[in-house]
């Protein structure tokens, strides 16, 4: 029925969005810049706050880092040999300053999300940290505040998603086949919700291949959960699995997509319509990963080549099927980052081995661009390589100015600078090809932090020196939710293409234009909170402006 038709419509629209970047030299493949050689710690977990600060942390059980805490902040923790080292920092994008932050309990392999009020919420970790919920307010001089019993169940390798009511759902973890909410809805409802799917999808108890499950909030309000090679749609309020999706081909025990056979996943752009009764299609993309037994083999010294395959599936269609396609390079531990244009950047990772201590080989230094709207044959484009391997415990994050921040990589049990893949303390930025233009648009009427109500009429003004006409379209307004990135998964990442009308000229001399349209219709489509608002003109995005929808 209508679902199928609108799925193809989605492809048609995305094609216009993506293929309109004729102002760039086709051969240009983006470039890399070292942003900071040493931030003192290794960027295992990364989040962007609405004040343009990056919060980074790794694990307190790494032992000494390369950054000491101020004397007054030295803490006591039996799991740390020397307790005066920082394992979290605030990185200021405006001046590259690093401020050491204090974490008291272990955040190793944990999860997080930016709450709807703009506070970074971190959940779980290792040993003394496994039940802890930590909060970081985006303000000058602020530090982590820890709630030692914030979780009901221990969460190590879990995933998070912000929900339409503003709560954060925390799903899974090692040997934890359940989920729970932050904050607790009420004293009457503190229970754990069982999720047998997480037990059913394990490859084995020792090599689960379903940790850090991929979560995406469907526009119908249910939660899409992908683990290993299978996926469900969960009505999280009742705990009922409302749909089971087909097993991803290549699966059936052969290829796994989650930790430690780590692939990645992103929810492709959601196109909004002012008429919110119209079906909104949501398509999930899963790329990379490796043979289900690759971790066992790597531990025995045999480094299996990762998969090239990606699959995409419309999670809102009635009878969805996986459409399979192939990346130009095999990749395990790649990050998938949504760019403001609606394309996906696949970056970091290795060609052989798996996630885990020293079990990956042949770093893949080339990012790959996935042009969402093109057909499967021309969709992938290999971009310029970095010189720094980013293996296990590396991260990537979209920045407000359209660059992509890359950091971390520490496949070693502590900070070790003499291994084949040493502990990496640097931050780099990748400039996607769309930044190679002299005519980036500039949004002129959105103050940072501007509030937006659902369905509200909006008007976005921008300057553009683009010589191309807007008659045939070519102008999009997109909203991107900032992610919490760790272990190759950008949690809570989401991109909405707003419903806007024709571009109108406002002032000829200053090349100012205006588009009018509507804010997202419902919190299921756009959970409340902070987003970066971009105008994309003929493939070139503006700088993103922070807005808050509530
Ligand atoms: C970190 O500290 C170690 C030990 O002091 C030193 O050898 C290493 O060069 C430092 N790393 C960086 C990137 O500065
Ligand atoms: C919205 O779309 C539905 C289904 O196509 C249609 O029946 C309805 O009249 C539309 N409403 C408005 C306000 O356009
Ligand atoms: C670093 O790793 C190498 C190779 O595994 C090991 O021999 C060495 O002892 C490690 N150094 C430290 C400081 O842990």
């Amino acid at each position: 029925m209508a679902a199928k038709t609108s799925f193809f419509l989605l492809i048609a629209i995305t094609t216009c969005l993506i293929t309109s970047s004729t102002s760039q030299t086709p051969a240009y493949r983006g470039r890399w810049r070292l942003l900071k050689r040493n931030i003192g710690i290794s960027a295992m977990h990364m989040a962007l706050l609405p004040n343009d600060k990056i919060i980074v942390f790794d694990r307190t059980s790494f032992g000494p880092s390369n950054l000491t805490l101020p004397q007054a902040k030295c803490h006591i923790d039996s799991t740390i040999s020397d307790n005066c080292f920082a394992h979290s920092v605030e990185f200021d994008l405006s001046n590259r300053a690093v401020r050491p932050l204090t974490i008291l309990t272990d955040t190793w392999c944990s999860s997080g999300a930016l709450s709807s009020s703009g506070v970074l919420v971190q959940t779980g970790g290792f040993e003394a940290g496994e039940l802890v919920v930590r909060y970081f307010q985006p303000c000058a001089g602020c530090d982590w505040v820890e709630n030692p019993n914030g979780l009901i169940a221990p969460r190590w390798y879990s995933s998070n998603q912000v929900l339409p009511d503003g709560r954060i759902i925390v799903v899974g973890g090692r040997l934890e086949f359940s989920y729970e909410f932050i904050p607790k809805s009420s004293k009457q409802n503190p229970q754990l919700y069982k999720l047998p799917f997480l037990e059913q999808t394990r490859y084995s108890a020792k090599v689960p291949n379903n940790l850090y499950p991929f979560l995406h909030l469907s526009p119908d309000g249910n939660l899409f959960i992908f683990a290993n090679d299978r996926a469900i749609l969960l009505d999280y309020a009742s705990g009922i699995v409302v749909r089971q999706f087909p097993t991803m081909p290549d699966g059936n025990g052969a290829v796994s997509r989650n930790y430690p056979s780590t692939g990645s996943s992103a929810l492709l752009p959601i196109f909004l319509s002012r008429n919110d009764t119209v079906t909104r299609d949501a398509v999930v993309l899963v790329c990379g990963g490796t043979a289900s037994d690759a971790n066992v083999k790597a531990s025995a010294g045999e480094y299996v080549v990762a998969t090239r395959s990606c699959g995409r599936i419309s999670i809102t269609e009635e009878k969805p099927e996986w459409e399979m396609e192939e990346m130009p390079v095999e990749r395990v531990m790649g990050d998938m980052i949504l760019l403001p244009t609606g394309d996906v950047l696949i970056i970091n990772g290795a060609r052989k081995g798996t996630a885990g201590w020293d079990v990956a080989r042949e770093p893949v230094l080339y990012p790959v661009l996935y042009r969402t709207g093109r057909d499967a044959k021309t969709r992938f484009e290999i971009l310029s390589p970095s010189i720094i391997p980013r293996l296990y415990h590396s991260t990537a994050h979209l920045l407000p100015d359209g660059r992509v921040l890359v950091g971390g990589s520490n496949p070693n049990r502590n900070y070790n600078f003499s291994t084949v893949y040493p502990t990496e303390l640097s931050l780099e930025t990748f400039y996607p090809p769309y930044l190679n233009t002299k005519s980036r648009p500039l949004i002129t009427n959105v103050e940072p932090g501007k509030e937006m109500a659902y369905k509200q009429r909006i008007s976005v003004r921008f300057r553009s020196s683009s010589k191309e006409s807007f008659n045939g379209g070519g102008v999009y307004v997109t909203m991107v939710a900032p992610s919490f990135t760790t272990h190759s998964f950008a949690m809570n990442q989401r991109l909405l293409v707003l419903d806007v009308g024709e571009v109108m000229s406002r002032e000829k001399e200053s090349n100012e234009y205006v588009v009018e349209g509507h804010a997202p219709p419902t919190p299921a489509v756009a959970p409340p909170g902070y987003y970066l608002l971009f105008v994309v003109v003929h493939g070139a995005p503006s700088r993103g402006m922070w807005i808050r929808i509530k």
Side-chain angles (χ1 to χ4, degrees):
M1 52 152 260
K4 189 111 195 164
T5 334
S6 36
F7 178 60
F8 287 109
L9 185 65
L10 166 95
I11 291 178
I13 302 167
T14 33
T15 307
C16 304
L17 171 58
I18 308 306
T19 53
S20 52
S21 50
T22 47
S23 56
Q24 290 151 15
T25 325
Y28 187 72
R29 304 262 184 245
R31 68 189 168 97
W32 287 85
R33 257 232 176 126
L34 188 63
L35 191 61
K36 187 121 185 162
R37 189 169 299 280
N38 177 7
I39 59 164
I41 68 163
S42 191
M44 183 190 297
H45 310 79
M46 198 188 262
L48 168 68
L49 302 187
N51 59 1
D52 285 352
K53 305 270 190 355
I54 295 282
I55 302 300
V56 175
F57 56 92
D58 57 11
R59 59 182 281 220
T60 53
S61 48
F62 262 144
S65 70
N66 277 49
L67 186 67
T68 48
L69 283 165
Q71 198 58 44
K73 297 229 168 169
C74 297
H75 47 82
I76 295 163
D77 182 335
S78 57
T79 65
I80 315 174
S81 51
D82 193 327
N83 53 28
C84 223
F85 287 94
H87 282 282
S88 178
V89 302
E90 179 188 67
F91 180 76
D92 189 334
L93 285 167
S94 67
N95 59 9
R96 305 184 210 184
V98 171
R99 184 165 72 89
L101 303 175
T102 317
I103 35 179
L104 301 174
T105 53
D106 204 352
T107 47
W108 185 22
C109 298
S110 61
S111 53
L114 186 68
S115 77
S116 55
S117 59
V119 175
L120 179 61
V121 179
Q122 182 281 349
T123 46
F126 183 57
E127 294 189 332
E130 67 187 10
L131 288 172
V132 181
V133 176
R134 304 167 185 81
Y135 299 89
F136 187 89
Q137 293 269 359
C139 51
C142 282
D143 208 335
W144 288 104
V145 174
E146 304 199 9
N147 174 2
N149 291 302
L151 292 170
I152 304 168
R155 306 265 168 211
W156 191 32
Y157 298 87
S158 59
S159 297
N160 296 15
Q161 168 71 50
V162 180
L163 298 173
D165 61 8
R167 283 183 302 166
I168 296 165
I169 190 169
V170 193
V171 178
R174 206 176 265 269
L175 298 174
E176 204 45 68
F177 315 118
S178 69
Y179 62 93
E180 60 185 289
F181 302 96
I182 304 291
K184 299 292 163 244
S185 43
S186 64
K187 286 235 161 57
Q188 298 90 288
N189 193 15
Q191 88 266 27
L192 217 50
Y193 294 75
K194 288 200 162 58
L195 190 56
F197 174 70
L198 294 177
E199 189 165 15
Q200 293 154 7
T201 50
R202 287 193 301 171
Y203 175 71
S204 73
K206 197 162 173 286
V207 184
N209 284 337
N210 70 351
L211 296 183
Y212 278 121
F214 304 142
L215 308 182
H216 302 293
L217 180 68
S218 171
D220 69 7
N222 291 310
L223 187 68
F224 174 88
I225 307 178
F226 183 100
N228 194 349
D229 59 0
R230 287 166 50 192
I232 54 169
L233 202 59
L234 177 74
D235 173 353
Y236 51 79
S238 63
I240 293 170
V241 174
V242 293
R243 294 186 78 172
Q244 291 200 349
F245 294 95
T247 298
M248 192 169 171
D250 280 0
N252 301 317
V255 174
S256 296
R257 310 284 176 171
N258 294 81
Y259 180 93
S261 284
T262 310
S264 191
S265 174
L267 180 64
L268 294 182
I270 299 175
F271 287 79
L272 304 184
S273 137
R274 90 192 54 188
N275 182 348
D276 53 313
T277 58
V278 170
T279 317
R280 271 175 298 270
D281 285 296
V283 179
V284 167
L285 177 66
V286 175
C287 288
T290 189
S292 307
D293 59 357
N295 185 264
V296 179
K297 288 187 170 154
S299 302
E302 185 192 342
Y303 304 100
V304 176
V305 176
T307 183
R308 271 176 191 242
S309 69
C310 292
R312 60 194 259 176
I313 189 164
S314 168
I315 64 171
T316 40
E317 212 180 313
E318 257 176 43
K319 290 213 169 75
E321 292 293 336
W322 287 97
E323 279 178 72
M324 301 304 291
E325 46 197 335
E326 296 225 311
M327 300 185 280
V329 211
E330 297 89 356
R331 196 182 303 249
V332 60
M333 292 184 288
D335 281 271
M336 287 167 68
I337 301 299
L338 285 165
L339 299 177
T341 50
D343 290 338
V344 183
L345 187 70
I346 308 172
I347 194 166
N348 298 342
R351 205 179 145 256
K352 289 182 173 174
T354 65
W357 300 133
D358 188 32
V359 282
R361 295 292 181 272
E362 296 188 25
V364 181
L365 300 171
Y366 295 85
V368 162
L369 190 62
Y370 179 91
R371 293 190 180 268
T372 309
R374 286 206 188 158
D375 64 66
K377 286 203 177 63
T378 59
R379 201 174 257 157
F380 292 97
E381 191 181 327
I382 294 186
L383 301 177
S384 305
S386 169
I387 53 167
I388 304 177
R390 301 284 179 181
L391 300 174
Y392 187 43
H393 291 149
S394 63
T395 43
H397 203 296
L398 176 69
L399 295 181
D401 62 11
R403 291 178 297 168
V404 173
L405 182 65
V406 171
S409 189
N410 190 9
N412 309 306
R413 284 171 195 273
N414 47 17
Y415 280 45
N416 192 329
F417 304 96
S418 53
T419 52
V420 191
Y421 301 113
T423 304
E424 203 32 82
L425 307 179
S426 65
L427 290 182
E428 283 174 292
T429 45
F430 179 67
Y431 293 64
Y434 56 58
L435 291 178
N436 185 38
T437 173
K438 293 203 171 55
S439 58
R440 279 188 85 180
L442 175 76
I443 296 177
T444 55
N445 73 332
V446 180
E447 305 95 60
K450 186 182 172 121
E451 290 190 358
M452 204 186 247
Y454 290 98
K455 294 188 179 146
Q456 181 195 318
R457 276 195 71 80
I458 53 163
S459 151
V460 180
R461 290 183 204 162
F462 63 95
R463 284 203 197 104
S464 169
S465 57
S466 173
K467 298 283 177 285
E468 285 179 71
S469 144
F470 299 140
N471 291 342
V475 174
Y476 295 87
V477 178
T478 61
M479 266 169 62
V480 185
S483 67
F484 176 94
T485 306
T486 190
H487 289 74
S488 312
F489 182 47
M491 300 174 194
N492 215 51
Q493 185 177 226
R494 192 175 197 81
L495 189 144
L496 308 162
V497 183
L498 298 193
D499 156 52
V500 294
E502 302 232 318
V503 179
M504 292 169 290
S505 180
R506 244 183 72 84
E507 267 186 44
K508 274 262 173 328
E509 310 87 85
S510 59
N511 291 318
E512 196 176 33
Y513 301 87
V514 63
V515 280
E516 299 199 333
H518 291 84
T522 64
V525 167
Y530 288 84
Y531 291 77
L532 286 163
L533 182 88
F534 294 89
V535 167
V536 183
V537 174
H538 293 304
S542 67
R543 185 189 169 83
M545 306 300 289
W546 285 106
I547 57 114
R548 182 180 179 189
I549 188 160
K550 54 193 286 196

